[in-house]
């Protein structure tokens, strides 16, 4: 636990572009002045620092991202890692393996999980997709692709919270169709009788249509305000806030959600332009080309 906190803190401190100091360890208080050239460092303490390394010199961690063979809450981190040009093992867990063996070994009985090793700190597993995304964003930033840099951290956190709010208000309307007990339906009645009945379909339809009519346009307005004029969620450059939002929008355009019109994005030109802008990024383009090829080969 301490190792994780220590490592995260180091990453955060050292990813500051404006810092004049480089911190190698909070244990031994080894701090070095940043050199003007990118690779060199100058020792300014009496401590010998020859055995310590800058993050840019350290091995990129070995990453294993485990999730099911769908986009779901893992997709935002897959996008962040691809945008950050950080190699990772993209493990797709089958539902059979999940039920028979994997679920019981996970901290919260859920995926995704990110296994991190080989970076000098203790091997560890990060759970919860937002924590994983932030880790990936910080890692990419420390490797030169500023997806969650300090200069924009507040803006990115704000945008992430907006995406989270949009997702959570939508989520109950998604769940009603999938598992109505989770939102208070058929607590008293026989769930199996209710599930798939015309009463269930009617509740799902009314809830989803109401959200699309009354809530969705409000969030589209907020997003369009942020991305207006060729921008991303937090300015001219892409960030982990975009990685979080895009999979949600992709879900809406999939045509696979009952009572969500397939033109949910295309009926809003500025939103569609932003969606296209993100998908035109070379790493994203390559990623979805690979995914299509993998699907075709399966
Ligand atoms: N809060 C978690 C939610 C993860 C979650 O809901 N995972 C689902 C799939 S989308 C899961 O693992 N379901 C399998 C199960 O509960 O057995 C996160 O953001 O990581």
């Amino acid at each position: 636990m301490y190792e994780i906190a220590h490592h995260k803190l180091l990453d955060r401190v050292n990813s500051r572009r404006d810092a004049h100091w480089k911190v190698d360890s909070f244990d031994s208080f080894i701090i070095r002045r940043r050199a003007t050239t990118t690779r060199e460092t100058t020792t300014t303490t009496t401590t010998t620092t020859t055995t310590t390394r800058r993050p840019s010199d350290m091995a990129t961690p070995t990453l294993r991202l485990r999730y099911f063979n769908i986009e779901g809450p893992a997709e935002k981190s897959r996008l962040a890692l691809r945008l950050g040009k950080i190699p990772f093992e993209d493990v797709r867990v089958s539902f059979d393996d999940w039920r028979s063996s994997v679920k019981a070994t996970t901290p919260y009985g859920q995926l995704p999980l990110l296994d991190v090793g080989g970076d000098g700190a203790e091997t560890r597993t990060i759970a919860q997709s937002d924590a994983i995304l932030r880790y990936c964003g910080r890692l990419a930033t420390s490797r030169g692709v500023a997806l969650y840099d300090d200069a924009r951290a507040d803006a990115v956190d704000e945008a992430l919270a907006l995406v989270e709010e949009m997702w959570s208000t939508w989520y109950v309307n998604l769940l009603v169709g999938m598992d109505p007990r989770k939102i208070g339906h058929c607590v008293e009645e026989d769930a199996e009788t209710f599930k798939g009945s015309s009463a269930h379909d009617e509740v799902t339809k009314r809830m989803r249509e109401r959200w699309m009519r009354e809530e969705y346009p409000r969030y589209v307005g907020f997003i369009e305000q942020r991305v207006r004029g060729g921008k991303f969620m937090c300015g001219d450059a892409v960030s982990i806030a975009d990685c979080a939002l895009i999979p949600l929008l992709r879900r809406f355009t999939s045509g696979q959600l009952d009572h969500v019109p397939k033109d949910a994005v295309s009926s809003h030109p500025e939103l569609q332009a932003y969606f296209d802008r993100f998908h035109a990024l070379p790493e994203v383009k390559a990623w979805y080309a690979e995914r299509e090829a993998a699907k075709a080969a399966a």
Side-chain angles (χ1 to χ4, degrees):
M1 196 61 199
Y2 165 75
E3 285 291 341
I4 296 172
H6 183 246
H7 174 78
K8 280 186 177 164
L9 199 55
L10 279 178
D11 256 3
R12 188 140 186 108
V13 167
N14 289 326
S15 64
R16 286 188 64 105
R17 304 237 154 214
D18 56 341
H20 297 297
W21 299 94
K22 160 74 182 54
V23 182
D24 283 300
S25 167
F26 293 113
D27 290 335
S28 49
F29 299 98
I30 297 169
I31 299 174
R32 290 177 289 157
R33 180 186 282 282
R34 270 203 169 119
T36 43
T37 61
T38 47
R39 306 276 312 168
E40 289 168 15
T41 54
T42 311
T43 302
T44 57
T45 65
T46 51
T47 318
T48 304
T49 59
T50 47
T51 56
T52 57
R53 294 173 299 169
R54 298 165 46 110
S56 56
D57 298 333
M58 285 164 62
T60 297
T62 309
L63 302 177
R64 188 168 69 131
L65 183 55
R66 290 184 278 160
Y67 188 63
F68 305 107
N69 192 20
I70 52 175
E71 295 193 4
E75 190 67 7
K76 53 194 172 193
S77 299
R78 294 177 183 139
L79 287 169
L81 291 170
R82 285 303 289 248
L83 281 165
K85 300 183 176 62
I86 303 196
F88 67 105
E89 191 186 346
D90 184 14
V91 177
R92 309 277 170 145
V93 177
S94 74
F95 290 113
D96 281 349
D97 286 351
W98 171 247
R99 276 186 291 264
S100 64
S101 56
V102 183
K103 184 175 171 90
T105 67
T106 65
Y108 306 115
Q110 289 179 324
L111 293 176
L113 294 173
L114 181 70
D115 305 311
V116 184
D119 59 355
E122 208 171 301
T123 302
R124 58 215 181 269
T125 295
I126 306 173
Q128 295 293 344
S129 60
D130 286 344
I132 295 172
L133 176 65
R134 283 184 160 91
Y135 170 82
C136 296
R138 279 195 300 274
L139 182 63
T141 302
S142 75
R143 296 293 186 276
V145 181
L147 298 180
Y148 191 30
D149 47 305
D150 272 10
R152 292 190 299 167
D154 294 335
V156 173
D157 284 342
E158 180 185 313
L160 281 172
L162 180 67
V163 175
E164 170 55 29
E165 184 186 306
M166 181 180 181
W167 160 248
S168 56
T169 66
W170 158 249
Y171 189 50
V172 282
N173 304 278
L174 178 68
L175 266 186
V176 69
M178 292 161 55
D179 192 350
R181 277 171 305 176
K182 286 204 170 151
I183 60 158
H185 284 277
C186 48
V187 171
E188 304 294 336
E189 11 173 341
D190 179 356
E192 290 316 309
T193 312
F194 181 74
K195 218 170 166 184
S197 66
S198 55
H200 181 198
D201 288 348
E202 184 57 24
V203 170
T204 304
K205 179 175 187 300
R206 281 173 47 199
M207 283 185 66
R208 289 188 183 174
E209 285 180 353
R210 190 207 68 82
W211 192 84
M212 288 309 298
R213 191 174 58 246
E214 292 176 18
E215 310 264 357
Y216 178 69
R218 226 160 38 85
Y219 290 106
V220 170
F222 298 148
I223 296 164
E224 286 187 334
Q225 215 175 303
R226 295 190 73 104
V227 304
R228 194 149 289 153
K231 291 185 187 297
F232 290 97
M233 284 291 273
C234 299
D236 293 341
V238 71
S239 73
I240 55 170
D242 302 290
C243 299
L245 175 59
I246 289 291
L248 180 56
L249 299 180
R250 286 175 59 85
R251 193 85 195 268
F252 288 142
T253 61
S254 69
Q256 288 166 1
L257 293 170
D258 290 340
H259 317 297
V260 174
K262 219 179 162 207
D263 69 351
V265 170
S266 62
S267 57
H268 298 275
E270 282 183 299
L271 185 66
Q272 179 68 51
Y274 159 72
F275 188 80
D276 293 342
R277 194 151 55 243
F278 184 88
H279 284 87
L281 295 168
E283 295 81 9
V284 175
K285 220 171 159 174
W287 170 244
Y288 285 116
E290 275 172 41
R291 293 311 309 149
E292 285 307 315
K295 268 187 222 158

